[in-house]
Amino acid sequence: MDFRHTKMLLLIIFLVFDIYLAFLLFSRAPIQSSNGVDAVQTLEVRLKNRNIKLPDSQLDTEMALPVLKTNQSTRLVEQKETLKGQKIRLSDKGLESTFDEPVVLDIEFATEMKPLTDEQMAKIQTQLLGKSEWFIAGESYTQGIYFPHEHQVIVYQEAYDNKVIMDGTAQIRLQLDKENRVKGYLQTYQDVLTTVTEANSLKSVRDVLSYLDTRVDTYIPDGSTIHPLTLVYYRTNNLKKIAIYNPAWVITYGPDEENMKTVMIDALDLTRVVPSVN
Amino acid sequence: MMRRSWLLTLALIVSGAISLFLTYVLIFGSPATSFNFLLSESSSIRTSESSNKNSAFEITRMQAFLPTQVIYYQDSNTYMIQNSEAIDQAMRLFDLTYNPANPLKIVEDVGYYQEIVSEQSWEYIFAAPIPIQQLSYVLSGIESVDDDLLVDRILLSEKNHSLYFMNSQDYRVAQILLPNDVQISQYLAPLQAVAHEGVEVIRVGLKRGSSYLPKDEIALPTYVYTLKKQSDAGYIAKFFEKQSYQLSSTNKENEKKYFTIDHSLTIDSNINLYSAKITVLQNRKSGNDNQLALDSFNVYRLFETWTEGVRYINNHGKPAFQRYLKNYPIVSSGTKQYALQTFEMQPRATTIAGTTLNLHLNIADLSEQHRLPNLEMVESILQKSKHTLQDYHRVYIGYVWQREMEEFQLATYVPAWIFETDGEVYQLAQGQDKLERIDE
């Protein structure tokens, strides 16, 4: 083989290599489009390329919520004597109660973790929370979730515009036995919340997903399913006289039901929140 | 034949170069950044918009060197406006230009000074004397003059159709003639719009210079705010820019030190204070007030995130920037740096000390109305302890940042009369019958 053939062979090898490298590069580049929506498409394309199933909710819907304030409440301490048919203990965790006789609930629960339906919530109110001899301010807990593995139902107090407080500072954790009878509960409570600010523009679902995917501790694994995001409130300041509550996004995601992860992200500051109480 | 061989060699070189380039891009550059040079105009615009959206508040030099009060006269009474927004707008209206062909003439004469002050003109009062060069927002071009006049008030004289840059402590005055085609009234609209807020004041002599103080009892609310701590990352990004820095711990728990060969930044997350030192500034001339003001501001702007207003003050050659709240200066009853970002200026080094705390939410329903004693009562209280207003360098109504902060999450600001002398700060708040030192 003379030198000309060697050069020809080298040229062919380089050309094939160039085509391969160019293919690699373009497959990793964000998709461009002529109408300037490349940045909008980037997140979806990036996640879909990794077989991540996005929630059905709109990624760019503009939302606004105010920051809230409540005065520190002593209601649980003051009214604990009004409770009947249970043993009560007040601790740092809240009001802990064990019923003398487990309370039978006429409610069908799902076999998986799910928010309670309006019908289930109404039954819980009628059969349980609405009874003033069993619960203090039970009517203020308006939404709930059933946790089958823990045999628990957690009901939450509403903070503002149908958004509940989901950091553990305003909830009743109902402990069930195997027959779904209520053995007892752990209650935390907050007084009425008032607005401290005007409604602030919130970070969008897109902002939250982009934030999660750029952090090591919240990275979304390939093949994950992202459940619809929920807006809630969490306590940012716990002071002697008052407490402050900020809006937050709660997002649940994971590759399968066994490995789901739930993360709370401040909807104003876009920072990860680890609630001090759970 | 020769021509084909040459073409083959060229093709080989080009394809090899392309391979090298693509390999480099794949290894060292993210695809997005690597392809920036290929992107359309629209994506460049979007990048710039998003960086604007993310940029943090940055204070301007004009904001730090604005007057804090405006005095006007009506029906033989003297009134004071403290509305910072109106003052800001009014100062922008001057828009004058310094003419080097007509150099500044500074007169130092008590009689001349008194004569001008007695004209009862509109008077713009500064928190402390500032170098005349910092008034370029009134008189562009003045920043390059060599004069060392420190200005603590500007007079707008209708009679002489002039502005006077004045110092009430050494009685130095510089006259700036206004253009013939302007009317004095055109500078006053923003102030006249808030004249109804004016508080009647009396001019009183202090240890050096004079001040205008409210004549009658004054009612002001306390303010309660939740606090927000600025993150280390924010300071690091601005202070070190793209320099790589090292991190070390210090003797104190919760204190971190970030440093390069000529920059160091220490942040104590326990008490929420920082200090930073830069040792590469040019060899500054001692006693040059304008250079001190400029050098300190250029470092200060990297750190300050307070949006309620700040003012430059120079305390015996030590520049500082005082935070304001609702148009009133703040002093701290704890560590002074919560209210004051202070400087140590050495010929080749600048050191700033301040706080990482900032206002977050105003808790309006925790506010209370306070009534401060009138001037006559203040003088009477001073007399009981054998003092007079003339014993103090600065006397003003301000807000005291209370020492108790509930784990640095909640701050209370209480209105009080403030008295400063020789580095000591005293307060006279509602219900007090004697001065209380608050800077210990």
Side-chain angles (χ1 to χ4, degrees):
Chain A
M1 192 159 49
D2 63 10
F3 187 56
R4 204 170 73 85
H5 283 114
T6 311
K7 281 203 280 188
M8 186 64 83
L9 189 65
L10 273 173
L11 181 62
I12 292 165
I13 292 169
F14 269 125
L15 285 174
V16 170
F17 190 51
D18 285 350
I19 291 164
Y20 172 69
L21 289 177
F23 170 76
L24 273 185
L25 203 54
F26 277 100
S27 66
R28 283 171 52 179
I31 290 174
Q32 306 295 319
S33 68
S34 57
N35 61 358
V37 294
D38 53 302
V40 175
Q41 289 184 349
T42 303
L43 177 75
E44 287 96 319
V45 171
R46 205 170 65 226
L47 295 182
K48 277 177 185 166
N49 282 347
R50 288 167 41 209
N51 200 23
I52 293 170
K53 193 179 167 201
L54 290 166
D56 293 335
S57 48
Q58 290 291 317
L59 297 189
D60 296 302
T61 306
E62 289 183 8
M63 301 197 72
L65 282 174
V67 175
L68 305 177
K69 183 202 83 137
T70 181
N71 295 326
Q72 295 289 15
S73 172
T74 53
R75 188 166 176 182
L76 294 183
V77 178
E78 287 167 3
Q79 296 186 0
K80 68 176 191 299
E81 304 302 336
T82 63
L83 299 174
K84 306 276 188 281
Q86 54 196 302
K87 290 181 185 63
I88 288 162
R89 195 169 77 91
L90 273 165
S91 69
D92 291 345
K93 291 180 182 173
L95 190 149
E96 292 178 72
S97 160
T98 307
F99 285 113
D100 297 339
E101 291 293 328
V103 180
V104 178
L105 289 178
D106 179 22
I107 301 171
E108 289 286 318
F109 291 113
T111 53
E112 58 195 31
M113 189 188 93
K114 264 196 171 171
L116 300 180
T117 62
D118 290 346
E119 189 188 352
Q120 287 171 321
M121 201 59 223
K123 283 184 177 176
I124 286 187
Q125 276 293 344
T126 315
Q127 297 173 28
L128 203 66
L129 301 177
K131 297 190 185 293
S132 59
E133 67 275 23
W134 286 348
F135 291 93
I136 298 166
E139 70 289 346
S140 64
Y141 300 78
T142 55
Q143 294 178 39
I145 300 177
Y146 174 61
F147 296 88
H149 295 299
E150 293 83 2
H151 291 289
Q152 285 179 352
V153 172
I154 303 181
V155 289
Y156 305 95
Q157 270 186 283
E158 184 177 329
Y160 180 87
D161 191 25
N162 234 16
K163 311 291 182 294
V164 296
I165 298 169
M166 213 182 253
D167 62 352
T169 61
Q171 67 182 29
I172 299 175
R173 188 188 294 262
L174 301 167
Q175 192 62 51
L176 311 181
D177 63 13
K178 285 179 184 171
E179 284 88 48
N180 278 350
R181 295 179 304 171
V182 182
K183 292 193 292 182
Y185 63 88
L186 171 62
Q187 181 180 13
T188 51
Y189 172 79
Q190 298 299 325
D191 255 341
V192 175
L193 288 102
T194 54
T195 58
V196 189
T197 63
E198 299 287 313
N200 298 290
S201 177
L202 305 182
K203 300 295 179 189
S204 67
V205 172
R206 174 183 306 284
D207 294 332
V208 175
L209 295 180
S210 300
Y211 172 81
L212 290 180
D213 207 40
T214 52
R215 288 167 53 94
V216 174
D217 60 333
T218 59
Y219 186 73
I220 305 170
D222 292 358
S224 288
T225 299
I226 302 171
H227 288 186
L229 278 70
T230 316
L231 271 172
V232 299
Y233 273 88
Y234 80 100
R235 188 168 67 188
T236 57
N237 300 79
N238 186 27
L239 303 163
K240 278 180 198 162
K241 292 182 181 171
I242 59 165
I244 303 293
Y245 283 81
N246 266 22
W249 286 104
V250 170
I251 170 169
T252 303
Y253 59 94
D256 51 60
E257 286 301 320
E258 298 291 304
N259 293 293
M260 288 309 239
K261 181 174 187 172
T262 298
V263 175
M264 193 181 279
I265 305 290
D266 189 299
L268 298 173
D269 290 351
L270 203 61
T271 49
R272 187 177 178 188
V273 175
V274 181
S276 52
V277 184
N278 264 310
Chain B
M1 191 67 182
M2 277 294 286
R3 186 179 164 81
R4 271 185 71 185
S5 171
W6 180 81
L7 277 174
L8 191 62
T9 307
L10 184 68
L12 190 59
I13 291 168
V14 170
S15 61
I18 291 170
S19 295
L20 282 174
F21 171 73
L22 292 174
T23 309
Y24 175 85
V25 168
L26 275 165
I27 295 172
F28 296 106
S30 74
T33 52
S34 308
F35 277 87
N36 269 354
F37 67 99
L38 296 173
L39 293 183
S40 64
E41 193 185 352
S42 62
S43 58
S44 310
I45 291 167
R46 189 162 42 255
T47 307
S48 118
E49 277 174 356
S50 87
S51 64
N52 281 345
K53 195 177 167 187
N54 294 335
S55 65
F57 165 79
E58 186 164 318
I59 192 157
T60 65
R61 193 145 55 90
M62 181 182 173
Q63 287 172 316
F65 290 91
L66 275 172
T68 56
Q69 301 164 339
V70 174
I71 302 300
Y72 69 96
Y73 296 86
Q74 198 173 50
D75 305 330
S76 71
N77 292 326
T78 314
Y79 295 90
M80 178 170 73
I81 297 168
Q82 293 206 151
N83 185 316
S84 60
E85 203 174 316
I87 293 172
D88 183 313
Q89 287 170 10
M91 299 313 284
R92 288 173 196 275
L93 293 177
F94 284 114
D95 195 25
L96 303 169
T97 305
Y98 174 65
N99 179 7
N102 188 14
L104 216 56
K105 189 180 159 202
I106 298 173
V107 178
E108 188 172 345
D109 183 325
V110 181
Y112 180 59
Y113 176 91
Q114 300 289 10
E115 184 188 322
I116 293 162
V117 171
S118 65
E119 277 181 26
Q120 302 200 339
S121 311
W122 287 75
E123 222 172 302
Y124 304 78
I125 312 284
F126 293 85
I130 65 166
I132 189 170
Q133 292 82 358
Q134 297 303 323
L135 293 170
S136 56
Y137 60 83
V138 174
L139 191 62
S140 66
I142 197 74
E143 62 271 25
S144 56
V145 302
D146 281 336
D147 297 297
D148 59 356
L149 177 64
L150 293 171
V151 178
D152 64 2
R153 61 200 57 202
I154 297 173
L155 252 77
L156 176 61
S157 166
E158 185 155 22
K159 181 181 161 193
N160 298 325
H161 202 65
S162 299
L163 271 185
Y164 290 96
F165 292 168
M166 312 174 73
N167 186 308
S168 69
Q169 298 180 6
D170 58 17
Y171 306 111
R172 300 177 81 201
V173 179
Q175 182 180 10
I176 314 290
L177 282 169
L178 296 171
N180 291 329
D181 57 344
V182 302
Q183 300 288 318
I184 297 290
S185 58
Q186 74 186 59
Y187 299 126
L188 299 174
L191 299 170
Q192 282 167 332
V194 295
H196 60 278
E197 296 174 9
V199 172
E200 191 176 353
V201 289
I202 294 175
R203 186 151 66 100
V204 294
L206 301 179
K207 200 166 192 172
R208 292 191 70 194
S210 61
S211 186
Y212 290 91
L213 299 174
K215 180 186 166 197
D216 299 320
E217 186 181 81
I218 190 162
L220 286 171
T222 60
Y223 288 101
V224 180
Y225 277 87
T226 59
L227 297 171
K228 195 171 190 175
K229 298 171 187 180
Q230 300 301 307
S231 70
D232 289 14
Y235 293 118
I236 289 166
K238 280 191 168 181
F239 188 58
F240 293 108
E241 293 183 323
K242 289 177 182 169
Q243 293 183 75
S244 53
Y245 57 86
Q246 289 181 281
L247 169 64
S248 71
S249 53
T250 67
N251 294 333
K252 287 187 193 171
E253 201 183 345
N254 299 318
E255 190 174 81
K256 285 180 184 165
K257 185 176 182 181
Y258 306 88
F259 61 96
T260 64
I261 192 164
D262 46 29
H263 283 50
S264 75
L265 169 65
T266 307
I267 298 178
D268 188 328
S269 57
N270 200 25
I271 51 174
N272 301 297
L273 294 174
Y274 69 81
S275 73
K277 187 173 185 181
I278 301 178
T279 50
V280 287
L281 288 180
Q282 61 178 340
N283 195 1
R284 73 170 64 88
K285 297 173 207 163
S286 64
N288 186 327
D289 290 301
N290 186 43
Q291 197 168 7
L292 284 182
L294 274 177
D295 288 351
S296 59
F297 178 79
N298 285 333
V299 176
Y300 170 72
R301 69 184 175 80
L302 302 176
F303 289 89
E304 187 57 279
T305 50
W306 188 266
T307 55
E308 286 276 333
V310 295
R311 290 297 185 280
Y312 173 83
I313 54 175
N314 186 340
N315 205 348
H316 304 296
K318 290 186 174 180
F321 291 85
Q322 188 169 24
R323 287 176 162 186
Y324 274 60
L325 180 64
K326 310 294 177 191
N327 303 319
Y328 289 91
I330 304 175
V331 293
S332 170
S333 66
T335 306
K336 68 179 174 187
Q337 274 81 14
Y338 295 126
L340 210 59
Q341 319 290 294
T342 58
F343 280 86
E344 291 289 340
M345 309 295 276
Q346 293 154 328
R348 287 183 179 275
T350 297
T351 306
I352 180 174
T355 178
T356 59
L357 294 177
N358 221 324
L359 296 180
H360 188 208
L361 298 168
N362 179 15
I363 312 298
D365 59 1
L366 293 182
S367 172
E368 295 170 0
Q369 201 72 2
H370 275 218
R371 301 194 78 82
L372 300 181
N374 63 27
L375 187 57
E376 196 181 333
M377 280 176 67
V378 169
E379 287 178 309
S380 147
I381 288 168
L382 288 173
Q383 272 173 9
K384 280 183 198 163
S385 53
K386 297 189 174 140
H387 283 291
T388 66
L389 290 168
Q390 286 73 38
D391 293 336
Y392 302 95
H393 286 108
R394 286 179 79 198
V395 179
Y396 52 92
I397 287 175
Y399 274 97
V400 180
W401 186 325
Q402 301 297 300
R403 190 185 297 257
E404 173 58 46
M405 281 188 267
E406 273 202 70
E407 298 175 4
F408 297 101
Q409 290 190 59
L410 193 79
T412 306
Y413 302 88
V414 177
W417 283 89
I418 308 295
F419 305 81
E420 291 183 17
T421 185
D422 300 323
E424 296 173 3
V425 184
Y426 298 83
Q427 70 161 336
L428 182 65
Q430 173 180 265
Q432 289 183 319
D433 58 359
K434 63 178 181 182
L435 269 58
E436 176 195 4
R437 188 163 177 193
I438 58 172
D439 62 329
E440 290 178 309

